Amino acid sequence: MSRRALRRLRGEQRGQEPLGPGALQFVLHDDDDVEEEGPKRGPGGRRPRGPGKEGVRVNNRFELINIEDLEEVPGVNGDRTDCLLIDAAASGNKRRAQRGHSESKKDGDVTDAAVPPEQSNTSGKLRKKKRKQKNKKNAAGESSENGLEDIDRILERIEDASGSSRPGPPPLSAKKHVLYVEHRHLNPDTELKRYFGARAVLGEQRPRQRQRVYPKCTWLTTPKSAWPRYTKPGLSMRLLESRKGRSAFAFEHSEEYQQTQHRFLAAVESMEPNNMVVLLQTSPYHVDSLLQLSDACRFQEDQEMARDLVERALYSMECAFHPLFSLTSGTCRLDYRRPENRSFYLALYKQMSFLEKRGCPRTALEYCKLILSLEPDEDPLCMLLLLDHLALRARSYEYLIRLFQEWEAHRNLSQLPNFAFSVPLAYFLLSQQADLPDQELSSAREKASLLIQQALIMFPGVLMPLLEYCSVRPDATVAAHRFFGPDAEISQPPALSQLVSLYLGRSHFLWKEPATMSWLEENVHEVLQAVDAGDPAVEACENRRKVLYQRAPRNIHRHVVLSEIKEAIAALPPDVSTQSVLGYDPLPPLDTIYSYVRPERLSPVSHGNTIALFFRSLLPNYTVEGERPEDGGAGGPHLDQGLNRLMLALRDMMANFHFHDLEVPREDHLEGDEWD
């Protein structure tokens, strides 16, 4: 019997003998050769043994391992044993392999022996191979990333070299970046959280959101539990064409939606809001009805209901989006000439106006960029007249400056009074920030002074009305000079006066800061010195004003109508101000593309209200039965028929009036009601 078996019978463990003078010397005796030749068991598992060798369990976990003895042990299937020992020592708490009993044929002694598990050996082998493969992949990934970075740098150098010598408008990628819309900024709660904290904004909304069940997640609005249950109203979107990286889409009306649209037009002509309410009860997600009723609520000072109706209209249209339609890419187009698409434009504009009044200029700026990205070339709602104002309110000075630098070459933004004054103001406000280096601050201040002087020379009629809006009295030198006198404002063309009135009525309060006023005063004196010195730029700008601003395009008139700024509306030309403006379609384009035609209407004399007919006949767009405005129904040979119908309506109305005799009040009552 071996010494290890004897120690086991006695209950002794190896390493617990008293240490003597030579105890630290590693000496192997003849009796221990057989025992020490076999591999030892590390913490957490057994070691495989060679043929004819017995594996013995080691109770002392901190037993020293003689490496020389381990090297003599043959590995399993030709593998190295040291790797297995290292793996076994690292995994101390793994499962123990199943143990078996084997009998020794030489001595006949029965000892506890363990069967070497092949699965553990193969799993350790696979882990080692996986680690090697992973290291190889990481090295290959790092080399590929470095290669891609080198390629990107080379492409950037090529673009910089070619772009410096090629004049013209910026590429499409630059435009897309400028009009890029972020989803998180379309939610006003994101901006309100920054002001008031998430707990104040979402504290009451979290329990309600658990009970909501809606068909899809939307970005423009958040569905409310008080809304009617959503059912598809028959509104959809289709892809018209995709060319040069841009995709043209269009909304479509089903036959059922077309019938609802016809009923809506009849309700508008009836001039009775109750008809609109009845229509919404049957079709709660009809877009034009929601927008029209929102205007009626806004006129009655019910801002909360008006905003809720606009959000419901946006939700209805977003549920109808095409799968390829993207709000953020900047490459999706909607033609404003199609009446089905105009509702989306107007809903976005009304939502943007509500957000601005609510105190969320950053979110309103994102909506403004979204509207501009739908048709940036035509700009049907002329969002460039509003974008600078929202950027200044949101303190996005860098964005406004970048937009001006990239679009000035092909859009002539400096010819618009709002950009001519807002961009230098953005430079000046940027120079007031303390977190920028001194060199950038001085450069921004110089650029601001240069641009504001150019703006004052180009638009001298802006200064005096601006000072009047800000309740600032100019000094004697400026007030007495002819360049900024009353003639500068009177001699402006009508189109320029309209743009100036629009800008001042919207953005005058941005100039009320004392530091801004002192900076403006310095540059005004610089301009007066240049005018007195006979600068040729003064005469060139005067000639340019006379040529450029003859008549404003229709999209500017449409923007003025939607802005509801009294000073700008008063400056509209007579041919526009005398037209009837419909809330669901203000100033439609002259080249409208109709996808379906409204059926013939019934005679309003025999089937309509007489008083309503009388008031509708006073509108400029009034037409009789079977006539259309484009066919000349409001004038020409049919004018006599319209007058005859009007006279018949008046006679009918007068015949229905009944006057009742009123009792004359007594004198004693009159004496008692005298005013003191």
Side-chain angles (χ1 to χ4, degrees):
M1 187 177 279
S2 64
R3 289 187 178 183
R4 182 172 296 178
L6 290 173
R7 283 197 302 268
R8 226 175 250 177
L9 291 174
R10 296 172 185 171
E12 299 176 355
Q13 293 184 0
R14 190 176 180 181
Q16 294 180 354
E17 297 85 4
L19 296 176
L24 296 178
Q25 297 179 1
F26 295 94
V27 180
L28 295 177
H29 300 282
D30 296 336
D31 297 337
D32 295 339
D33 290 342
V34 179
E35 302 172 8
E36 302 296 336
E37 283 180 0
K40 298 179 177 57
R41 175 182 176 276
R46 292 182 178 272
R47 290 290 175 260
R49 48 179 185 152
K53 302 291 182 180
E54 295 179 358
V56 183
R57 181 184 300 178
V58 178
N59 295 327
N60 187 6
R61 184 172 298 182
F62 305 97
E63 181 181 5
L64 296 176
I65 299 176
N66 195 347
I67 301 177
E68 295 179 358
D69 295 337
L70 295 176
E71 290 178 354
E72 298 177 0
V73 180
V76 180
N77 298 330
D79 294 334
R80 293 180 300 174
T81 316
D82 54 350
C83 297
L84 298 177
L85 288 172
I86 295 173
D87 293 340
S91 57
N93 296 325
K94 293 185 178 178
R95 294 182 179 178
R96 297 181 179 273
Q98 294 181 355
R99 292 178 296 177
H101 299 281
S102 62
E103 298 179 353
S104 176
K105 296 181 181 180
K106 295 181 180 180
D107 300 332
D109 300 334
V110 180
T111 59
D112 295 335
V115 179
E118 297 179 358
Q119 296 180 355
S120 62
N121 297 335
T122 55
S123 62
K125 178 180 175 182
L126 291 175
R127 283 198 303 270
K128 190 66 178 179
K129 289 184 178 180
K130 287 181 180 179
R131 289 178 185 175
K132 292 181 180 180
Q133 293 176 0
K134 187 176 181 180
N135 294 333
K136 291 181 180 180
K137 289 181 180 179
N138 292 336
E142 291 177 359
S143 61
S144 62
E145 289 178 359
N146 296 332
L148 292 175
E149 291 179 359
D150 296 338
I151 293 173
D152 293 338
R153 292 175 183 175
I154 294 172
L155 292 176
E156 289 178 359
R157 293 174 184 175
I158 295 174
E159 290 178 358
D160 294 340
S162 60
S164 60
S165 60
R166 189 191 312 168
L172 181 61
S173 60
K175 291 183 182 179
K176 184 192 303 184
H177 182 73
V178 169
L179 299 179
Y180 177 75
V181 178
E182 297 183 20
H183 276 144
R184 63 188 183 94
H185 287 305
L186 291 174
N187 188 1
D189 292 340
T190 304
E191 189 171 1
L192 293 176
K193 287 178 193 175
R194 189 174 57 187
Y195 297 152
F196 308 106
R199 181 174 298 179
V201 176
L202 300 178
E204 299 180 357
Q205 299 181 9
R206 288 173 182 172
R208 299 177 184 175
Q209 290 179 356
R210 298 175 184 174
Q211 301 175 1
R212 293 175 180 172
V213 178
Y214 286 93
K216 62 181 297 186
C217 178
T218 55
W219 293 105
L220 296 176
T221 57
T222 302
K224 299 180 180 179
S225 57
W227 288 358
R229 184 175 181 179
Y230 178 77
T231 55
K232 293 184 178 180
L235 188 65
S236 61
M237 179 185 283
R238 66 185 177 97
L239 176 64
L240 297 179
E241 61 176 355
S242 182
R243 183 175 56 185
K244 296 181 180 180
R246 300 176 183 177
S247 303
F249 295 88
F251 283 97
E252 281 188 336
H253 294 172
S254 63
E255 294 184 0
E256 180 182 358
Y257 197 93
Q258 292 179 14
Q259 298 297 327
T260 308
Q261 188 74 10
H262 298 331
R263 294 199 303 270
F264 162 75
L265 296 176
V268 171
E269 292 178 354
S270 66
M271 301 183 68
E272 295 181 3
N274 293 331
N275 295 340
M276 204 76 60
V277 175
V278 173
L279 179 61
L280 282 177
Q281 290 178 354
T282 57
S283 302
Y285 285 94
H286 183 254
V287 178
D288 288 339
S289 300
L290 292 170
L291 297 179
Q292 189 74 14
L293 192 59
S294 173
D295 291 340
C297 295
R298 187 166 51 87
F299 293 151
Q300 296 177 1
E301 302 298 331
D302 192 356
Q303 301 293 334
E304 188 68 24
M305 179 59 69
R307 186 176 62 196
D308 185 79
L309 293 173
V310 171
E311 291 179 356
R312 200 199 302 182
L314 282 175
Y315 178 75
S316 176
M317 303 197 79
E318 190 172 1
C319 290
F321 280 175
H322 192 275
L324 299 179
F325 184 80
S326 174
L327 295 172
T328 61
S329 63
T331 59
C332 298
R333 301 289 182 263
L334 285 176
D335 194 351
Y336 192 80
R337 295 176 299 174
R338 298 179 178 273
E340 297 85 356
N341 296 340
R342 297 174 197 166
S343 302
F344 188 58
Y345 278 91
L346 296 176
L348 289 175
Y349 187 92
K350 294 178 186 296
Q351 178 71 356
M352 178 194 63
S353 301
F354 284 124
L355 291 171
E356 183 186 4
K357 295 176 182 178
R358 192 181 176 185
C360 301
R362 182 64 183 87
T363 311
L365 175 62
E366 213 68 19
Y367 272 83
C368 184
K369 291 193 295 183
L370 174 58
I371 298 173
L372 183 59
S373 67
L374 294 178
E375 200 169 358
D377 297 331
E378 299 296 332
D379 195 7
L381 299 186
C382 208
M383 302 309 298
L384 288 176
L385 297 178
L386 178 61
L387 190 142
D388 62 305
H389 170 75
L390 295 176
L392 289 176
R393 285 200 59 189
R395 299 182 181 180
S396 300
Y397 309 132
E398 296 85 355
Y399 173 77
L400 179 59
I401 293 171
R402 184 169 189 177
L403 176 68
F404 178 77
Q405 292 175 351
E406 294 186 3
W407 283 29
E408 168 63 19
H410 67 287
R411 297 296 291 267
N412 294 326
L413 297 181
S414 60
Q415 305 305 313
L416 296 174
N418 58 313
F419 268 93
F421 283 87
S422 295
V423 173
L425 181 59
Y427 272 109
F428 173 74
L429 295 176
L430 193 62
S431 67
Q432 300 296 311
Q433 297 182 358
D435 56 346
L436 295 178
D438 295 338
Q439 184 178 0
E440 294 185 8
L441 294 178
S442 60
S443 175
R445 182 66 178 262
E446 293 176 0
K447 189 69 174 178
S449 300
L450 177 62
L451 291 178
I452 194 61
Q453 292 175 17
Q454 294 177 359
L456 290 171
I457 293 175
M458 184 65 190
F459 307 104
V462 177
L463 180 63
M464 289 302 178
L466 177 60
L467 296 179
E468 184 178 357
Y469 271 107
C470 297
S471 302
V472 175
R473 181 179 298 178
D475 57 6
T477 306
V478 178
H481 203 282
R482 58 176 180 82
F483 187 72
F484 293 114
D487 294 340
E489 187 177 356
I490 297 174
S491 61
Q492 289 181 150
L496 181 57
S497 299
Q498 183 178 344
L499 293 176
V500 170
S501 301
L502 182 66
Y503 172 69
L504 294 178
R506 175 180 285 155
S507 305
H508 66 275
F509 63 90
L510 298 174
W511 296 81
K512 288 187 176 182
E513 296 294 331
T516 305
M517 272 296 166
S518 61
W519 165 72
L520 179 62
E521 183 181 1
E522 296 174 2
N523 290 278
V524 167
H525 288 289
E526 293 290 337
V527 170
L528 291 180
Q529 293 178 4
V531 171
D532 295 337
D535 193 345
V538 177
E539 185 178 358
C541 290
E542 183 179 358
N543 296 331
R544 198 182 306 166
R545 286 196 303 269
K546 295 179 181 179
V547 174
L548 294 179
Y549 306 98
Q550 294 298 326
R551 180 176 175 82
R554 195 172 180 84
N555 61 341
I556 293 181
H557 295 159
R558 190 180 298 117
H559 179 86
V560 170
V561 171
L562 290 174
S563 66
E564 298 182 358
I565 297 177
K566 298 179 181 179
E567 296 81 3
I569 293 177
L572 286 173
D575 57 340
V576 177
S577 58
T578 55
Q579 293 183 16
S580 62
V581 179
L582 302 175
Y584 65 93
D585 191 8
L587 299 179
L590 301 178
D591 53 348
T592 301
I593 302 176
Y594 293 101
S595 58
Y596 59 92
V597 183
R598 183 184 179 187
E600 300 294 336
R601 292 171 290 178
L602 298 176
S603 175
V605 175
S606 57
H607 299 276
N609 189 3
T610 305
I611 300 178
L613 172 64
F614 168 70
F615 285 108
R616 283 194 297 107
S617 64
L618 298 179
L619 299 176
N621 63 341
Y622 171 74
T623 56
V624 296
E625 178 185 2
E627 297 175 353
R628 297 179 183 175
E630 58 268 18
D631 298 335
H638 302 283
L639 183 60
D640 295 337
Q641 299 179 6
L643 292 176
N644 293 333
R645 289 181 177 275
L646 178 60
M647 295 303 297
L648 291 174
L650 285 174
R651 291 172 185 173
D652 190 11
M653 182 179 63
M654 295 300 296
N656 293 331
F657 279 177
H658 299 283
F659 297 93
H660 301 281
D661 295 335
L662 299 176
E663 296 182 359
V664 180
R666 298 179 181 179
E667 294 181 358
D668 53 352
H669 291 284
L670 292 176
E671 292 178 357
D673 294 336
E674 290 182 358
W675 292 350
D676 295 334

